[in-house]
Amino acid sequence: MKLSLDALNNDRFVPESNGEDLSSGYLQVPAGSVMLLTETGIQEGNIVEKGVFASSLTSSTQLPVPQVCVV
């Protein structure tokens, strides 16, 4: 998955509740999955609170997926 500032600030990385609907997120994958995230698309700009949260998730050891590699 290619990360970008726009994706961090606007996309869903974890499931979100929208009223009575539940929307999936990029990091909602089956156990045992391996994800490869690349930071090459990130450029200068402002990161909002949602982007900071998403960024922390991609480097967290508490993810439900056992292996995440950020390059």
Side-chain angles (χ1 to χ4, degrees), residues 14-65:
V14 294
E16 290 181 3
S17 176
N18 300 321
E20 293 195 19
D21 295 328
L22 185 61
S23 301
S24 63
Y26 291 132
L27 299 179
Q28 186 179 359
V29 295
S33 297
V34 176
M35 297 188 75
L36 179 63
L37 306 176
T38 178
E39 298 175 336
T40 57
I42 296 180
Q43 299 177 343
E44 288 185 32
N46 294 328
I47 189 164
V48 297
E49 184 178 346
K50 184 176 182 177
V52 172
F53 178 69
S55 177
S56 70
L57 286 174
T58 60
S59 61
S60 173
T61 57
Q62 299 177 8
L63 286 174
V65 252

